[in-house]
């Protein structure tokens, strides 16, 4: 419960969320090491992390992703400063109900747009 409260849930929301989670499934998810699967990908990959993500923490996630994708010539792992797990601007990474509909930070939208255009534009004749 402390992890949910640390991520910005109030006590009631944290308890409700915990009650609705199949803890065995969640434990399996967190025990999963995606490195083997990532190292097999040969398609273009863009992994975007938020520097203020309290759920998938960049301090423990970025380096293993970079290592796993090292064999892929068209893979990029990018950390965007000041954004949270939902890739929106956040002063502290904590979710708040007053944030409204999450809209990604402009620099996230720009990065993803440029990355997609570079890969999806038809080749010049």
């Amino acid at each position: 419960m402390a992890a949910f409260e640390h991520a910005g849930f109030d006590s009631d929301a944290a308890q409700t969320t915990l009650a609705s989670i199949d803890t065995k499934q969640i434990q399996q998810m967190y025990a999963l090491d995606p490195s083997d699967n990532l190292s097999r990908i040969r398609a273009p990959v863009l992994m975007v992390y938020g520097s203020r993500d309290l759920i998938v923490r960049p301090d423990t996630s970025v380096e293993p992703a970079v290592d796993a994708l090292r064999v892929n010539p068209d893979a990029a792992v990018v950390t965007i400063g000041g954004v949270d797990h939902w890739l929106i601007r956040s002063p502290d990474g904590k979710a708040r109900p007053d944030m409204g509909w999450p809209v990604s930070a402009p620099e996230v939208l720009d990065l993803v747009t440029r990355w997609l255009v570079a890969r999806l534009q038809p080749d010049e004749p």
Side-chain angles (χ1 to χ4, degrees):
M1 183 150 115
F4 284 100
E5 290 176 341
H6 180 71
F9 289 77
D10 64 36
S11 182
D12 289 338
Q15 288 177 351
T16 302
T17 302
L18 280 173
S20 68
I21 293 174
D22 174 9
T23 55
K24 182 179 178 185
Q25 180 182 11
I26 296 299
Q27 288 171 1
Q28 289 173 341
M29 179 182 73
Y30 280 105
L32 176 69
D33 179 6
S35 298
D36 186 47
N37 291 329
L38 286 175
S39 67
R40 295 177 191 195
I41 298 173
R42 295 300 178 261
V45 174
L46 174 63
M47 294 185 75
V48 182
Y49 291 90
S51 69
R52 293 199 173 133
D53 189 338
L54 300 176
I55 298 170
V56 179
R57 301 185 70 95
D59 57 335
T60 58
S61 302
V62 170
E63 188 176 332
V66 168
D67 288 343
L69 290 167
R70 192 172 313 279
V71 297
N72 185 335
D74 195 9
V77 179
V78 180
T79 302
I80 305 288
V83 300
D84 63 15
H85 183 72
W86 296 272
L87 301 174
I88 60 175
R89 284 257 148 241
S90 175
D92 57 11
K94 295 182 179 181
R96 278 180 286 298
D98 63 338
M99 287 181 154
W101 180 253
V103 175
S104 293
E107 59 269 41
V108 174
L109 297 174
D110 181 59
L111 169 69
V112 172
T113 299
R114 286 184 290 109
W115 189 85
L116 286 169
V117 166
R119 281 151 188 85
L120 299 176
Q121 250 181 353
D123 291 333
E124 298 289 326

